[in-house]
Amino acid sequence: MAPVLQSSQPWVEKYRPKQVKDVAHQDEVVRVLTNTLETTNCPHMLFYGPPGTGKTTTALAIAHQLFGPELYKSRVLELNASDDRGINVVRTKIKDFAAVAVGSGQRQGGYPYPPYKIIILDEADSMTEDAQACWIIEPLASRCAKFRFKPLSEEIMTSRISYICKEEGLNLDAEALSTLSSISQGDLRRAITYLQGAARLYGSSISSKDLISVAGVIPVEVVEAHFSACRSGDFDVANKEVNNIIAEGYPVSLFLSQLFDLVVEAEDISDEQKARICKHFGEADKCLVDGADEYLQLLNVTSHVMRALCNMPEEFHYDT
Amino acid sequence: MLWVDKYRPKTLDQAIVHQDIAQNLKKLVTEQDCPHLLFYGPSGSGKKTLIIALLRQVFGPGAEKVKVENRTWKVDAGSRTIDLELTTLSSANHVELSPSDVGFQDRYIVQEIIKEMAKNRPIDTKGKRGYKVLVLNEVDKLSREAQHSLRRTMEKYSASCRLILCCNSSSKVTEAIRSRCLNVRINAPTEEEVFNFVIIKVLEFIGKKEGLQLPSGFAARIAEKSNRSLRRAILSFETCRVQQYPFTSNQVIPPMDWEEYVAEIASDIMKEQSPKRLFQVRGKLYELLINCIPPEIVLKRLLYELLKRLDVELKHEICHWAAYYEHRMRLGQKAIFHLEVHEHLQGFPHHDIWMKIRQAPEMP
């Protein structure tokens, strides 16, 4: 039998701001949009910015505030990457929707009801190129008022998180709060997801350690152990560390970025060495994106880091 | 039935390995709110076992009554219709599939089929609405487009459908998906002692159930040879049982055939570097590929064998080339196997022979 759930909504959805003015931290955007809402004069808009900063939220909020719940369905078309957005969809669905004009609006029930429709193209960057070209011949971007969404600052993040904690009856100490905002790197959605995960797993008192384990951040000791193995200059020791990391199941791309932080901040490494190391980080990252094997890539980076740290020659005896 | 399946823990409470994770998962679902989950970790570490046990915890014993179906879908992609074939494992409340099996058309599976499944909400006898679970295997092999498509589906239908994603490396899963899931890392314990202890415990448990006498140290030897994979340990334990029983403490634990074979190749390479030898090695590599050993696994094993035999300077070099050619292999359109054995032997710097083996096996 399927389990029955009452409060099964993810917090990300539950605490999605319903009004434009509630969107956190995006002051300029909110100011312009509030103005838009008052005059109901709405340009094409393109929202861009890192994930979890409120783009979809804002778009949905505008639509809701303009039309209210009743007209929303007939006036707003929401398309995102989970819908097939090949060229045909854009040709038929969007044009059909846009072609039917709507009567001029009268204010009803407190909602402006402006005489136009809204199409929300979520995740427009993952639309096929054909589809973008068909939709409007010139690049999409030049026809839209652009709004840049910035990553959230730590204070905003903290205040939003504290609010949710209060609503959900959670206890977070100051350390846990700052850990949460640092591991989620300005992505509020990620922070809320981690928070909910931690609350599910560990109950209402959450420590910063719990958050780290939920977030899947690699413990500093592991990265440091690997780094000192590189310093030792012993290939077999380093190989063993690499094997451990793979067996532990840590994602290598994450490991590389954490190792990168460690290398960049290390004071006893010369700039030249750092440059030499970073070059290989870049290459490995590209290879990983292409789907290369994690173990081999990490081992290769490890070998290069070791050679750089121990001032071994960069070139091999034999090179193509 | 293989012991691996026979003694798979059925419930979260029965788990011997990863007890802490199992308990956390239990807490997670008993509190009546299960988020999307992403399980990741090396193979043989117990991801699937935990997922099955979790489903049983959520849906009761009914979750074990699965039927295997080979289903076909017709997907309308504008100008043409695409036929998709996929094997699904389903019970009343969950469906399990590997969308990456359909290759580059995996996007349609996500956009049409998964969405269709996610939309329908199960209703129990009292008319209350519950949720169902979709288990997606090998999400790391999904194409970018498919992963993009998945992310909004996860949000939109989260009330009626929970996704459990399973993969080996979460590096290949986009950030957007990872941030929508509770990530559960299933590790193969690193500390050699801890791990051997765990494996020995499992083997002794099975031995007791099967009524076998384990000589002292036998389980430890299997554990040692298992390469940190519990599945492998149990499989080789069963192989030993078939080969010789009662066990003797010095019984040979049979290694995998193909590993032996790769070791042979490695020593061939070490002994002589000549065009003739190259030709022989090439033949042997072909043999491995014909027997469906994945090229990247051959490459990794060969690296492992060569690293045991080479001196330091060459270790760096050979691991560089291994990484380089494995990457090349992925980029190749077909499963073209670029195996380049870069071979320098100490003491003969002028006899550096670059053995280049390029093979194009006939794979679909």
Side-chain angles (χ1 to χ4, degrees), chain A residues 5 83 123 244 248 294, chain B residues 32 115 151 171 190 326:
Chain A
L5 295 180
D83 304 296
E123 295 145 29
N244 278 348
E248 280 291 319
E294 294 197 312
Chain B
Q32 291 264 307
K115 216 167 127 186
R151 61 186 197 183
S171 292
T190 343
E326 197 271 340

Side-chain angles (χ1 to χ4, degrees), chain B residues 108-327:
Chain B
Y108 296 106
I109 293 280
V110 174
Q111 281 173 345
E112 301 296 329
I113 293 151
I114 294 182
K115 216 167 127 186
E116 201 51 51
M117 288 174 179
K119 264 182 189 166
N120 303 321
R121 209 166 181 182
I123 293 175
D124 72 353
T125 40
K126 292 176 199 116
K128 283 184 183 163
R129 292 189 295 180
Y131 64 84
K132 62 168 138 187
V133 171
L134 273 175
V135 182
L136 303 185
N137 293 323
E138 297 180 335
V139 276
D140 48 350
K141 297 215 180 89
L142 280 180
S143 65
R144 287 269 126 165
E145 291 85 11
Q147 294 196 27
H148 273 302
S149 304
L150 199 56
R151 61 186 197 183
R152 186 66 190 156
T153 308
M154 293 172 83
E155 279 182 349
K156 215 165 171 183
Y157 306 107
S158 64
S160 57
C161 178
R162 295 301 136 80
L163 293 177
I164 295 180
L165 310 174
C166 182
C167 67
N168 281 136
S169 77
S170 71
S171 292
K172 292 171 200 163
V173 181
T174 58
E175 183 55 52
I177 290 185
R178 268 185 283 157
S179 78
R180 283 165 172 82
C181 294
L182 179 59
N183 297 5
V184 186
R185 181 169 58 88
I186 313 289
N187 61 339
T190 343
E191 298 293 321
E192 222 86 44
E193 293 91 318
V194 176
F195 184 66
N196 290 350
F197 174 70
V198 168
I199 284 202
I200 291 167
K201 223 164 108 185
V202 173
L203 293 181
E204 278 170 355
F205 169 78
I206 294 177
K208 219 169 99 192
K209 288 269 179 181
E210 290 284 325
L212 303 175
Q213 289 290 323
L214 262 86
S216 65
F218 185 58
R221 277 180 52 222
I222 294 183
E224 206 179 299
K225 295 243 167 164
S226 68
N227 224 350
R228 287 178 190 157
S229 160
L230 186 56
R231 176 169 38 224
R232 175 133 180 223
I234 299 174
L235 282 172
S236 55
F237 184 43
E238 194 170 358
T239 318
C240 290
R241 165 77 179 80
V242 173
Q243 282 190 333
Q244 187 189 347
Y245 186 78
F247 298 126
T248 50
S249 51
N250 59 351
Q251 184 175 345
V252 181
I253 297 159
M256 301 269 203
D257 297 348
W258 69 271
E259 286 184 0
E260 284 283 87
Y261 207 69
V262 174
E264 216 175 279
I265 295 177
S267 43
D268 282 356
I269 294 170
M270 295 299 291
K271 270 189 222 130
E272 185 188 327
Q273 293 88 45
S274 65
K276 192 172 147 239
R277 186 46 62 91
L278 174 69
F279 185 69
Q280 287 169 353
V281 168
R282 178 183 177 155
K284 287 187 173 177
L285 288 172
Y286 241 129
E287 189 71 18
L288 283 169
L289 290 171
I290 288 167
N291 285 302
C292 291
I293 313 282
E296 65 273 15
I297 296 196
V298 175
L299 189 67
K300 269 161 86 170
R301 188 70 198 181
L302 191 55
L303 175 68
Y304 169 81
E305 292 291 345
L306 288 172
L307 284 180
K308 285 201 294 201
R309 295 169 164 85
L310 291 169
D311 63 312
V312 179
E313 168 59 22
L314 295 177
K315 280 178 183 175
H316 286 289
E317 190 152 353
I318 199 148
C319 88
H320 170 79
W321 290 115
Y324 180 78
Y325 284 107
E326 197 271 340
H327 177 224

Side-chain angles (χ1 to χ4, degrees), chain B residues 70-76 81-87 99 101-113:
Chain B
N70 232 329
R71 292 170 66 176
T72 49
W73 283 275
K74 279 199 191 314
V75 176
D76 186 25
T81 349
I82 300 169
D83 284 311
L84 296 173
E85 235 187 279
L86 200 63
T87 313
D101 283 358
V102 295
F104 65 97
Q105 287 170 331
D106 54 1
R107 183 162 65 100
Y108 296 106
I109 293 280
V110 174
Q111 281 173 345
E112 301 296 329
I113 293 151

Side-chain angles (χ1 to χ4, degrees), chain B residues 322-336:
Chain B
Y324 180 78
Y325 284 107
E326 197 271 340
H327 177 224
R328 279 297 191 81
M329 207 157 74
R330 300 272 166 165
L331 292 181
Q333 287 261 312
K334 286 183 186 169
I336 288 174

Side-chain angles (χ1 to χ4, degrees), chain A residues 17-320:
Chain A
K18 300 285 181 298
Q19 306 229 311
V20 173
K21 65 176 166 53
D22 295 337
V23 174
H25 193 55
Q26 314 295 349
D27 298 333
E28 298 91 358
V29 179
V30 170
R31 209 179 315 128
V32 176
L33 290 179
T34 329
N35 191 21
T36 306
L37 282 173
E38 276 161 14
T39 58
T40 71
N41 184 9
C42 185
H44 297 300
M45 286 179 281
L46 177 75
F47 296 159
Y48 66 102
T53 50
K55 299 180 295 292
T56 309
T57 304
T58 312
L60 291 174
I62 295 173
H64 273 286
Q65 277 184 281
L66 281 175
F67 299 111
E70 275 169 42
L71 263 172
Y72 183 82
K73 278 221 170 83
S74 63
R75 292 288 184 88
V76 179
L77 179 67
E78 201 186 320
L79 286 176
N80 58 58
S82 68
D83 304 296
D84 184 13
R85 279 195 311 203
I87 188 161
N88 280 301
V89 175
V90 175
R91 277 206 183 124
T92 55
K93 227 173 164 178
I94 296 182
K95 279 192 178 166
D96 285 353
F97 181 81
V100 182
V102 286
S104 75
Q106 283 185 336
R107 281 183 175 259
Q108 276 175 338
Y111 294 106
Y113 289 153
Y116 49 78
K117 299 183 188 178
I118 288 183
I119 297 172
I120 300 173
L121 284 175
D122 210 349
E123 295 145 29
D125 48 357
S126 60
M127 245 176 22
T128 64
E129 225 164 83
D130 280 353
Q132 285 191 32
C134 164
W135 176 222
I136 36 170
I137 292 99
E138 290 199 3
L140 203 62
S142 69
R143 306 221 167 177
C144 299
K146 284 183 238 172
F147 295 95
R148 184 179 163 338
F149 283 67
K150 345 172 237 198
L152 303 183
S153 73
E154 201 151 307
E155 300 93 75
I156 302 286
M157 201 89 141
T158 317
S159 79
R160 196 69 199 159
I161 296 288
S162 322
Y163 168 75
I164 295 176
C165 288
K166 216 174 85 199
E167 290 286 303
E168 295 289 335
L170 300 176
N171 264 324
L172 251 73
D173 53 32
E175 192 200 344
L177 266 178
S178 75
T179 311
L180 185 55
S181 26
S182 73
I183 53 179
S184 49
Q185 293 169 345
D187 181 343
L188 189 56
R189 175 175 47 226
R190 197 148 37 136
I192 297 174
T193 314
Y194 290 158
L195 186 68
Q196 189 172 17
R200 293 277 159 273
L201 287 174
Y202 305 103
S204 60
S205 282
I206 297 166
S207 70
S208 80
K209 213 172 132 238
D210 298 339
L211 287 168
I212 286 179
S213 86
V214 167
V217 177
I218 300 164
V220 187
E221 303 84 64
V222 174
V223 187
E224 272 166 1
H226 175 267
F227 194 48
S228 58
C230 289
R231 280 176 193 272
S232 77
D234 185 332
F235 187 89
D236 292 328
V237 173
N239 189 14
K240 202 159 164 258
E241 278 304 322
V242 171
N243 271 316
N244 278 348
I245 291 160
I246 300 294
E248 280 291 319
Y250 293 119
V252 170
S253 55
L254 182 65
F255 182 85
L256 287 183
S257 72
Q258 283 186 245
L259 184 62
F260 171 75
D261 290 341
L262 204 68
V263 169
V264 171
E265 279 162 27
E267 279 165 8
D268 56 339
I269 306 177
S270 72
D271 284 353
E272 199 192 328
Q273 282 171 320
K274 284 183 187 175
R276 208 174 132 181
I277 292 171
C278 290
K279 194 175 112 194
H280 292 289
F281 278 165
E283 275 168 17
D285 191 54
K286 155 76 175 140
C287 291
L288 285 173
V289 169
D290 287 340
D293 186 81
E294 294 197 312
Y295 168 75
L296 293 175
Q297 290 303 326
L298 183 57
L299 189 63
N300 188 24
V301 168
T302 306
S303 138
H304 282 292
V305 171
M306 185 186 285
R307 292 160 63 85
L309 289 178
C310 302
N311 290 315
M312 291 184 226
E314 192 169 1
E315 299 301 318
F316 292 121
H317 290 184
Y318 187 97
D319 218 327
T320 36

